[in-house]
Amino acid sequence: MLPPYADLLGLTIDPDSQDGVPVLIMPFRDDVLGRPGFLHGGAISGLMEMAAIAALQQALAADGGGRIKPINVTVDFMRGGRDKPTRAQGVVTRLGNRVANVEATAWQDDPAKPIAAARMNYMVARG
């Protein structure tokens, strides 16, 4: 289950997600517009954060559950997001007893050509 902010961004889960890890889709619309014809950086960051949360919640569910709290987020923007749907996927790189590390990428046409990447650390409360 995604946080309410996912609804604000209009996010949906791609039904064609591979490997069991959800891919989120954000449609291009006026609510996520930055400069004319381009996505706002905050919308791209929010999309990647939601993708990271989805991946982490899935990993936690398979590992006994837990609550998460963000510690920090680092975002690298590589190119402007154009006026088309944008996808993002998170990958849990480490799931410890107290801390989880997650990476996420956002792309539009080709996952091998991301428009942005993020690294996030979360505090994990088990039990």
Side-chain angles (χ1 to χ4, degrees):
M1 185 169 131
L2 294 172
Y5 185 58
D7 290 335
L8 183 69
L9 293 174
L11 304 185
T12 58
I13 296 175
D14 188 342
D16 297 327
S17 297
Q18 301 292 321
D19 303 324
V21 178
V23 173
L24 301 184
I25 303 171
M26 180 175 65
F28 187 85
R29 54 193 187 144
D30 288 344
D31 294 345
V32 296
L33 185 67
R35 61 187 165 116
F38 288 88
L39 290 171
H40 189 278
I44 297 170
S45 297
L47 168 62
M48 289 189 298
E49 182 181 10
M50 295 300 109
I53 288 171
L56 183 53
Q57 285 179 338
Q58 182 179 26
L60 280 170
D63 195 40
R67 294 181 328 272
I68 62 173
K69 179 180 176 183
I71 298 171
N72 67 351
V73 177
T74 302
V75 177
D76 298 318
F77 296 102
M78 298 165 194
R79 61 184 51 88
R82 302 300 307 229
D83 57 349
K84 58 179 80 173
T86 305
R87 288 172 168 72
Q89 185 174 37
V91 175
V92 178
T93 57
R94 180 181 182 275
L95 179 56
N97 289 326
R98 295 184 183 175
V99 175
N101 302 334
V102 186
E103 295 180 356
T105 55
W107 69 92
Q108 291 188 310
D109 297 317
D110 182 357
K113 296 179 181 177
I115 63 170
R119 289 164 308 288
M120 295 162 239
N121 300 311
Y122 292 91
M123 186 180 345
V124 177
R126 304 254 184 188

